């Protein structure tokens, strides 16, 4: 019986110590008391009812191990298993759509990819048209565009420079406006500027050729402002729309955020494709007598360039309408973040904090984009060289444009491969950008040291293959990744500003290339350009974090800890070594990572969010409650309410209370079948 009571053996106390009923203190008394649950770690019951939110099966094993913590072999199996399950689910959904309506998948693609990327499609069309029209102008108005007898050389060169400067201005300016006033205003403003710019380009005229060139250049500058704004606004709005507003769980965001943004971005490639088709048809139609072959008449040049600009003007006018009347919720995610931070207007504090905590990331996204744009413009170096060798009529614009079209098709293949693999956790953003830079480096450095051979008939086909290879891996690499990561590695409050700044620095790479290439020969260009790719690969390796598979909402959660001045209290997966750059790991950013502590902290954060929503009594509160029903199971609601587990009427009562405060039409809501399933599951 004594053993059952776990008593100490009686013995005399040491001299000077008062005897106590339970005997002398031994320092091990705690072993005889019931174990108390730690307030720092989640209990088994908490793990059970919150598992679907805190450890979703697309990121955690049944044992609660995060996918990035698994050994390589097990990680590979887990990632492939999740990918196969998701693929089967998507193909099943597509088949169900086809059976219901054979055209519905195309309607889905139009809504989710074409419409979000419509601005990029239109600007891709116009900017590609500028480059295609320049040789036409040079053939038709030689005294102005080629020999510079009646037009100043600097004004002709300014056509390119002012276009790029306008884009840079728009990227930074509209990026700031997007964070200051809102995404929706930025979207509408861009569409209006591009529409007015296209009207100027279509109607540009002058008493002299010099006057026309000046107006043409300034029209491009104005249009470029709208083009530049499309980068940060389209990226951030597409990204934030991928996060289900008000949802506790964001599976779609984790698994498909990159694809959603990339599918919008690749509309730029379709714009280039359609532009090449339209220009070819217009030149064949209006160049009377010889079709699309030289010599080219002024009549053909006038109608070709003006109609080619008028077509996207119509589409841009529709875009103004669509963004004004159909995208009223574009700023919802930003407004929610500002409200949580108690900020109106521009969040200067978040901007300063971003520089202090994410300076390495800003360097990575900006410089990576810079190095990529040098390559992007350098890709054109191949084309003129091999056309002169393999073409029977290299002076024909149609020959050049046809090869452009082939290159655009290759680039589109690269875009779609990027969309397919950019969310794959075993490949992902960082690997894609590094491999893309490496292949582009090799594609340029190989012919650089044997230039005469590769530009001769003997080596020209290898030279041509390297050209298409660099085009494919530029899209299936840094061009797609820089557009995505320049927004997703930053907090919502300054996302558009950071993206715009990175894009502006990137566009300065295009400006450098356009200036530099005027003063060096082709072989020297091939000797200089490759090293930008090697530098891009190095910067990506050291400073760029890999956000593949990381919930955007989890990044926002970490940001809230940083804003509150306690980043060391954050222990979640946003600082897992897998999602940090090498530089951040060197700086000790991930030393606070602790899955056990983070689970309890997540529950506290969810409780705070739950209490905040229930404290509100307006109609918006009721809407949020309905949004959360899918993830807020009965047991979770009971847990936060302090009611016994299994009280199935608790959630019903709360919903009834919220609906009664926001509506006079009282009808008792029913618990959904999904809630009942969830309740049974967690039990």
């Amino acid at each position: 019986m004594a053993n059952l009571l776990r008593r100490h053996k009686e013995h005399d106390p040491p001299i000077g110590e008062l005897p106590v009923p339970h005997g002398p203190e031994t320092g091990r008394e705690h072993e005889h008391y019931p174990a108390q649950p730690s307030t720092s770690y989640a209990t088994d019951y908490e793990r059970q009812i919150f598992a679907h939110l805190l450890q979703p099966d697309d990121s955690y094993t049944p044992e609660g191990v995060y996918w990035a913590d698994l050994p390589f072999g097990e990680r590979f199996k887990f990632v492939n298993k999740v990918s196969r399950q998701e693929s089967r689910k998507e193909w099943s959904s597509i088949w169900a759509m086809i059976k219901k309506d054979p055209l519905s998948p195309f309607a889905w693609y139009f809504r989710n990819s074409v419409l979000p990327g419509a601005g990029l499609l239109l600007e891709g069309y116009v900017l590609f048209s500028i480059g295609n029209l320049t040789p036409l102008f040079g053939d038709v108005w030689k005294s102005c565009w080629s020999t510079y007898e009646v037009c100043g050389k600097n004004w002709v060169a300014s056509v390119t420079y002012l276009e790029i400067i306008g884009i840079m201005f728009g990227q930074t300016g509209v990026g700031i406006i997007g964070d200051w006033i809102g995404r929706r205003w930025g979207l509408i403003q861009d569409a209006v500027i591009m529409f007015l710019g296209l009207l100027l380009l279509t109607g540009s005229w002058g008493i002299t050729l010099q006057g026309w060139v000046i107006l043409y250049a300034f029209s491009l500058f104005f249009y470029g402002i709208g083009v530049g704004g499309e980068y940060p606004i389209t990226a951030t709005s597409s990204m934030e729309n991928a996060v289900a507003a008000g949802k506790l769980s964001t599976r779609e965001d984790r698994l498909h955020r990159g694809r959603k943004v990339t599918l919008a971005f690749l509309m730029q490639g379709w714009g280039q494709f359609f532009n090449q088709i339209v220009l070819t048809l217009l030149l064949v139609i209006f160049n009377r007598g010889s079709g699309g072959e030289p010599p080219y008449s002024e009549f053909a040049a006038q109608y070709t360039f003006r109609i080619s600009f008028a077509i996207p003007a119509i589409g841009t006018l529709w875009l103004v309408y669509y963004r004004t009347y159909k995208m009223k919720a574009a700023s919802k995610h930003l407004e929610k973040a500002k409200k949580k931070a108690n900020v109106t207007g521009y969040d200067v504090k978040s901007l300063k904090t971003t520089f202090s905590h994410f300076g390495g990331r800003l360097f990575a996204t900006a410089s990576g984009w810079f190095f990529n744009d040098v390559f992007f413009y350098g890709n054109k170096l191949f084309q003129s060289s091999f056309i002169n060798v393999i073409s029977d009529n290299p002076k024909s614009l149609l020959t050049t444009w046809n090869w452009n079209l082939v290159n655009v098709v290759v680039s589109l293949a690269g875009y779609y491969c990027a969309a397919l693999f950019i969310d794959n956790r075993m490949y992902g953003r960082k690997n894609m950008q590094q491999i893309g830079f490496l292949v582009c480096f090799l594609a340029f450095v190989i012919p650089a040291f044997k230039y005469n051979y590769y530009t001769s008939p003997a080596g020209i086909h290898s030279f041509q293959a390297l050209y298409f290879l660099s085009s494919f891996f530029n899209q299936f690499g840094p061009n797609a990744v820089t557009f995505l990561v320049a927004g997703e590695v930053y907090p919502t409050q300054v996302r558009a500003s950071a993206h715009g700044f990175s894009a502006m620095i990137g566009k300065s790479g295009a400006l450098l290339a356009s200036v530099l290439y005027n003063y060096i020969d082709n072989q020297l260009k091939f000797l200089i350009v490759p090293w930008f790719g090697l530098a891009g690969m190095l910067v990506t390796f050291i400073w760029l974090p890999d956000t593949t598979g990381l919930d955007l909402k989890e990044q926002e959660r970490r940001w809230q800890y940083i804003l509150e001045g306690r980043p060391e209290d954050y222990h979640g997966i946003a600082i897992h070594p897998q999602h940090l750059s090498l530089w951040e790991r060197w700086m000790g950013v991930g030393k606070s990572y602790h899955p056990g502590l983070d689970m309890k902290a997540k529950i506290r954060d969810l409780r705070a969010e739950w209490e905040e929503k229930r404290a509100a009594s307006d109609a918006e509160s009721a809407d949020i409650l309905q949004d959360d029903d899918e993830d807020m199971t009965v047991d979770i609601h009971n847990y936060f309410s302090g009611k016994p587990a299994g009280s199935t009427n608790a959630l019903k009562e709360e919903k009834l209370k919220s609906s009664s405060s926001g509506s006079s039409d009282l009808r008792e809501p029913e618990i959904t079948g999904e809630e009942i399933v969830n309740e049974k599951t967690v039990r």
Side-chain angles (χ1 to χ4, degrees):
M1 185 66 179
N3 289 335
L4 292 174
L5 294 175
R6 308 183 75 178
R7 291 179 55 196
H8 291 287
K9 294 180 180 180
E10 289 80 359
H11 45 73
D12 295 331
I15 298 174
E17 182 175 305
L18 295 175
V20 291
H22 64 273
E25 296 181 5
T26 66
R28 299 178 61 188
E29 285 74 13
H30 64 279
E31 295 180 2
H32 305 298
Y33 299 124
Q36 297 295 324
S38 171
T39 58
S40 298
Y41 295 89
T43 64
D44 290 340
Y45 179 68
E46 289 172 334
R47 291 174 183 272
Q48 182 185 23
I49 65 173
F50 287 100
H52 67 291
L53 294 177
L54 306 187
Q55 294 182 338
D57 58 5
D58 60 89
S59 299
Y60 290 84
T61 66
E63 295 75 28
V65 180
Y66 188 53
W67 68 270
D69 285 323
L70 295 170
F72 181 81
E74 294 181 28
R75 184 190 306 185
F76 184 80
K77 291 179 182 178
F78 178 82
V79 169
N80 282 343
K81 177 184 175 183
V82 172
S83 297
R84 287 195 301 269
Q85 290 174 345
E86 194 66 17
S87 296
R88 284 195 294 267
K89 178 182 175 182
E90 291 189 326
W91 280 112
S92 176
S93 298
I94 292 172
W95 179 242
M97 292 168 66
I98 291 174
K99 287 193 294 184
K100 186 176 181 180
D101 180 356
L103 296 180
S104 58
F106 297 99
W108 180 93
Y109 181 79
F110 183 79
R111 288 192 308 271
N112 292 276
S113 300
V114 177
L115 288 180
L120 290 170
L121 184 148
L122 292 164
E123 62 91 359
Y125 174 103
V126 175
L127 294 188
F128 201 61
S129 185
I130 304 300
N132 283 329
L133 288 172
T134 299
L136 176 62
F137 295 161
D139 282 348
V140 174
W141 294 290
K142 289 185 173 65
S143 60
C144 177
W145 288 82
S146 299
T147 61
Y148 311 114
E149 297 171 12
V150 297
C151 298
K153 184 177 181 179
N154 289 336
W155 275 116
V156 174
S158 71
V159 170
T160 299
Y161 302 153
L162 285 175
E163 172 198 336
I164 295 176
I165 292 171
I167 293 173
M168 293 170 68
F169 183 81
Q171 286 166 337
T172 50
V174 179
I176 292 172
I177 290 173
D179 287 330
W180 179 20
I181 302 177
R183 314 291 194 235
R184 180 170 177 259
W185 174 257
L187 287 165
I188 296 171
Q189 173 190 271
D190 284 341
V192 170
I193 291 175
M194 289 195 296
F195 174 67
L196 295 177
L198 282 168
L199 292 183
L200 290 172
L201 286 168
T202 304
S204 59
W205 204 270
I207 298 176
T208 64
L209 283 174
Q210 170 101 331
W212 167 58
V213 169
I214 293 172
L215 180 57
Y216 185 72
F218 277 104
S219 299
L220 274 177
F221 171 79
F222 184 80
Y223 181 79
I225 295 173
V227 169
E230 279 299 304
Y231 285 77
I233 291 298
T234 300
T236 53
S237 58
S238 297
M239 193 177 304
E240 290 165 0
N241 286 340
V243 182
K247 296 292 184 182
L248 297 178
S249 177
T250 50
R251 180 186 179 94
E252 182 73 14
D253 173 55
R254 286 188 299 273
L255 297 179
H256 304 304
R257 181 177 68 247
R259 183 180 69 181
K260 186 177 182 70
V261 176
T262 305
L263 285 174
F265 179 58
L266 66 79
M267 287 298 109
Q268 190 179 61
W270 280 110
Q272 296 171 1
F273 178 85
F274 291 128
N275 172 257
Q276 202 62 80
I277 297 293
V278 169
L279 281 179
T280 301
L281 291 175
L282 290 174
L283 189 61
V284 169
I285 292 170
F286 291 108
N287 196 40
R288 298 172 179 173
S290 60
E293 301 300 327
Y296 304 109
S297 65
E298 289 190 17
F299 175 85
Q302 289 279 5
Y303 275 88
T304 297
F305 100 81
R306 295 187 191 281
I307 294 177
S308 71
F309 287 141
I311 292 172
I314 298 171
T316 308
L317 180 61
W318 174 85
L319 191 64
V320 174
Y321 157 77
Y322 181 80
R323 290 180 172 179
T324 302
Y325 294 100
K326 303 296 183 180
M327 298 186 69
K328 295 182 179 181
S331 299
K332 184 177 181 180
H333 193 79
L334 175 65
E335 290 168 357
K336 185 178 178 182
K338 284 187 175 183
K339 183 179 180 181
K340 190 172 184 179
N342 294 319
V343 172
T344 57
Y346 194 82
D347 194 342
V348 178
K349 178 185 176 182
S350 289
L351 182 65
K352 294 178 180 178
T353 309
T354 298
F355 276 102
S356 60
H357 282 80
F358 295 152
R361 297 184 175 198
L362 201 58
F363 174 72
T365 56
S367 58
W369 207 323
F370 174 87
F371 296 134
N372 175 64
D373 267 28
V374 175
F375 260 111
F376 192 77
Y377 278 74
N379 178 263
K380 298 177 182 178
L381 299 175
F382 283 94
Q383 187 169 292
S384 60
S385 299
F386 77 71
I387 286 177
N388 288 332
V389 177
I390 66 176
S391 175
D392 295 331
N393 188 12
K395 293 184 178 180
S396 170
L397 274 178
L398 287 187
T399 300
T400 302
W401 288 356
N402 287 338
W403 281 115
N404 279 346
L405 187 61
V406 174
N407 190 47
V408 169
V409 172
V410 172
S411 297
L412 276 171
Y415 276 119
Y416 277 101
C417 282
L420 187 64
F421 287 96
I422 204 161
D423 286 312
N424 185 289
R425 293 169 182 174
M426 299 304 295
Y427 193 64
R429 285 92 153 128
K430 189 166 184 173
N431 287 331
M432 186 181 293
Q433 181 155 310
Q434 288 184 101
I435 293 172
F437 270 129
L438 176 62
V439 174
C440 288
F441 165 75
L442 294 174
F444 277 83
V445 80
I446 289 172
F449 294 98
K450 295 185 68 176
Y451 183 75
N452 291 331
Y453 167 75
Y454 280 101
T455 54
S456 68
I460 196 64
H461 291 295
S462 299
F463 190 74
Q464 190 177 6
L466 290 171
Y467 167 59
F468 292 129
L469 193 67
S470 69
S471 295
F472 178 85
F473 274 96
N474 183 258
Q475 311 305 334
F476 183 41
N479 202 40
V481 177
T482 50
F483 183 82
L484 171 63
V485 299
E488 73 174 359
V489 300
Y490 302 111
T492 301
Q493 293 93 319
V494 294
R495 181 169 290 136
S497 300
H499 191 285
F501 173 79
S502 300
M504 183 269 292
I505 297 297
K507 193 56 68 176
S508 67
L511 185 61
L512 172 67
S514 64
V515 174
L516 182 64
Y517 293 169
N518 288 327
Y519 299 98
I520 56 178
D521 60 35
N522 279 349
Q523 186 169 4
L524 188 56
K525 293 173 187 175
F526 275 94
L527 288 169
I528 293 175
V529 169
W531 309 107
F532 286 93
L534 203 60
M537 183 180 174
L538 181 64
V539 166
T540 303
F541 176 70
I542 297 176
W543 282 283
L544 186 69
D546 191 355
T547 48
T548 308
L550 179 60
D551 196 332
L552 199 64
K553 195 169 184 178
E554 183 65 24
Q555 296 184 71
E556 295 296 333
R557 179 170 165 259
R558 179 198 172 196
W559 178 249
Q560 193 61 35
Y561 279 79
I562 293 174
L563 279 183
E564 293 171 0
R566 51 191 187 102
E568 68 283 351
D569 291 341
Y570 176 78
H571 308 290
I573 57 174
I575 57 171
H576 188 287
Q578 173 71 22
H579 302 305
L580 295 176
S581 67
L582 185 61
W583 176 260
E584 289 171 328
R585 296 201 294 271
W586 286 344
M587 295 295 103
V589 174
K591 63 184 179 182
S592 299
Y593 175 65
H594 195 298
L597 294 176
D598 185 60
M599 176 169 280
K600 190 68 175 182
K602 273 186 176 180
I603 294 173
R604 287 195 296 267
D605 293 341
L606 285 173
R607 178 188 286 276
E609 185 178 347
W610 180 87
E611 289 175 347
E612 179 183 349
K613 291 176 180 178
R614 269 56 186 184
S617 58
D618 55 11
E620 181 183 0
S621 170
D623 292 340
I624 294 175
L625 182 64
Q626 295 297 330
D627 285 341
D628 283 348
D629 283 350
E630 179 183 347
D631 306 303
M632 185 67 69
T633 63
V634 175
D635 281 334
I636 292 177
H637 186 87
N638 290 340
Y639 175 86
F640 287 151
S641 302
K643 297 180 180 180
S647 178
T648 57
N649 290 326
L651 184 58
K652 180 195 285 188
E653 292 170 1
E654 183 67 26
K655 291 167 67 176
L656 182 59
K657 179 181 176 182
S658 297
S659 61
S660 64
S661 63
S663 174
S664 58
D665 181 17
L666 297 178
R667 288 178 295 177
E668 182 179 41
E670 298 180 357
I671 297 178
T672 65
E674 186 171 1
E675 290 164 351
I676 296 173
V677 171
N678 285 337
E679 182 189 3
K680 291 180 179 179
T681 301
V682 297
R683 291 179 183 174

